[in-house]
Amino acid sequence: ERRKKRMSGGVKLLGWPSEWGLPSIDPRSLEFQLFLKFSEVPFVFEHTSNPDLLPKGLPVLQHKDKQIEFPDIALYIEENFKKDIDSHLTREQEHEMVTLRVLVETQLENCRLYNWFSDELNYNQLIKPTLSKTQPFPISIWFAGAQKTRSDERLSFEYHKNTEFYDVADDCYRILSNRLGSDAYFFGSTPTSLDATIAAHLAIHLYSPLPKPTLREILNTNHLNLVQYCDRVLSVLGGPPSFSDVRSDIVEKEKEKKEIRSRLGYTVAVAGVSLFLFSQLYRTIGVRT
């Protein structure tokens, strides 16, 4: 642990846990891992499952005796490490970056929330058990449900009930795809903070192994350059996960759960039959006496 700390220069990023072969299941936690990599600031990423302990949520940067919450991480890195990966952008590009970031963090993020929490199959089979696993008992009992309620409230407040979220996602992807074109990054040959934001969100859309992976299907069918872009950006964190391995692992876990339920059901059935036979025997003996 001390050796890791020395190698990271004392920089630690606290964020949501990893899952499904991704460094984190939270877009923002993944975004700032990419941001620090692009900034060439050595760091250690540490999983934590208590985001509500911090007033503004995760991720959080720890350095020396300071704790910096995510709205201020980029500014802190610029001021203390003299790293600004957006310094080469023109004023026009800075304005465009703000516009595209808002698109991703509002419209596309809402589409992810819909895909995760409003689709009952996705929620019950993957999202609920995954989120519950991140929390200690008894918080694990209600945590996923609380996240779903928060998502439902956000979507109902911001959208009409008949909104076609997957059409919204496709439109957002098209804007990003057309802007990226065949370039390596959104503003040329070097990554910016916008690339960290966009790639983090796309990675969650592409590699969440949902039973109904509608967002991934839209990307793979209509916007292949975004898929290739996302995989290229993720290479700085070890590359994209092997999706087939992730799915097979989930299938295997589901099989184990079914076997456990089957054995439990068999045990309960045997116990029930035994109790019935015992009661019948007791009645027979009672009649004879």
Side-chain angles (χ1 to χ4, degrees):
E1 181 65 31
R2 285 183 180 176
R3 183 169 178 269
K4 279 186 178 180
K5 198 168 185 179
R6 284 198 304 271
M7 291 175 65
S8 67
V11 176
K12 181 188 290 185
L13 185 69
L14 302 179
W16 274 81
S18 63
E19 193 63 63
W20 315 323
L22 287 168
S24 177
I25 60 173
D26 169 51
R28 190 170 282 136
S29 296
L30 181 52
E31 172 187 348
F32 278 94
Q33 289 182 68
L34 290 168
F35 174 80
L36 290 173
K37 279 288 188 179
F38 292 158
S39 301
E40 298 180 339
V41 174
F43 70 98
V44 170
F45 181 67
E46 184 174 295
H47 302 163
T48 181
S49 56
N50 294 301
D52 293 329
L53 295 179
L54 302 157
K56 296 180 182 178
L58 294 171
V60 166
L61 187 80
Q62 293 181 343
H63 180 234
K64 297 179 178 178
D65 59 345
K66 297 182 178 65
Q67 183 159 288
I68 302 93
E69 294 173 345
F70 76 85
D72 303 316
I73 291 177
L75 181 60
Y76 182 85
I77 294 299
E78 180 183 345
E79 292 178 346
N80 291 269
F81 292 86
K82 308 306 176 187
K83 303 282 188 178
D84 181 6
I85 58 176
D86 298 334
S87 61
H88 64 286
L89 297 179
T90 65
R91 184 64 60 86
E92 183 181 347
Q93 288 174 327
E94 288 176 351
H95 291 162
E96 186 180 10
M97 181 168 66
V98 171
T99 301
L100 292 176
R101 179 171 279 125
V102 169
L103 176 78
V104 171
E105 293 181 340
T106 56
Q107 300 275 40
L108 266 187
E109 175 62 0
N110 288 336
C111 293
R112 177 189 71 86
L113 293 176
Y114 179 82
N115 193 218
W116 275 29
F117 293 103
S118 299
D119 187 297
E120 293 297 326
L121 186 65
N122 286 341
Y123 174 72
N124 289 320
Q125 288 197 9
L126 183 71
I127 302 305
K128 183 178 180 179
T130 298
L131 292 181
S132 298
K133 190 171 62 175
T134 68
Q135 301 296 314
F137 182 84
I139 299 174
S140 57
I141 296 174
W142 54 262
F143 182 74
Q147 297 300 308
K148 176 173 169 55
T149 299
R150 186 180 301 176
S151 170
D152 292 344
E153 290 174 349
R154 171 172 167 166
L155 296 181
S156 64
F157 177 76
E158 296 185 17
Y159 291 90
H160 188 273
K161 64 179 181 179
N162 294 325
T163 298
E164 296 291 342
F165 282 94
Y166 297 127
D167 289 343
V168 173
D170 195 24
D171 290 341
C172 292
Y173 292 147
R174 185 173 294 105
I175 292 171
L176 296 176
S177 178
N178 290 339
R179 177 61 184 81
L180 178 65
S182 58
D183 290 342
Y185 302 101
F186 273 85
F187 293 107
S189 58
T190 57
T192 64
S193 63
L194 179 66
D195 292 290
T197 301
I198 293 176
H201 282 264
L202 291 179
I204 303 296
H205 296 191
L206 280 167
Y207 295 110
S208 301
L210 299 161
K212 292 174 64 178
T214 309
L215 295 179
R216 182 172 72 250
E217 289 170 351
I218 294 171
L219 280 165
N220 281 323
T221 302
N222 300 336
H223 313 288
L224 196 56
N225 68 328
L226 292 180
V227 177
Q228 295 166 342
Y229 159 81
C230 180
D231 290 352
R232 184 169 58 253
V233 173
L234 283 182
S235 65
V236 302
L237 294 176
S242 174
F243 188 71
S244 59
D245 291 344
V246 172
R247 282 301 306 171
S248 62
D249 183 54
I250 290 175
V251 170
E252 191 61 33
K253 287 179 180 177
E254 283 297 316
K255 189 185 296 183
E256 290 176 4
K257 288 179 184 178
K258 286 180 181 179
E259 288 177 357
I260 291 172
R261 288 195 294 266
S262 177
R263 287 197 295 270
L264 181 61
Y266 174 77
T267 303
V268 170
V270 169
V273 171
S274 299
L275 183 61
F276 173 76
L277 292 175
F278 178 79
S279 64
Q280 290 296 105
L281 179 61
Y282 179 80
R283 286 178 184 175
T284 302
I285 293 174
V287 170
R288 288 178 180 177
T289 56

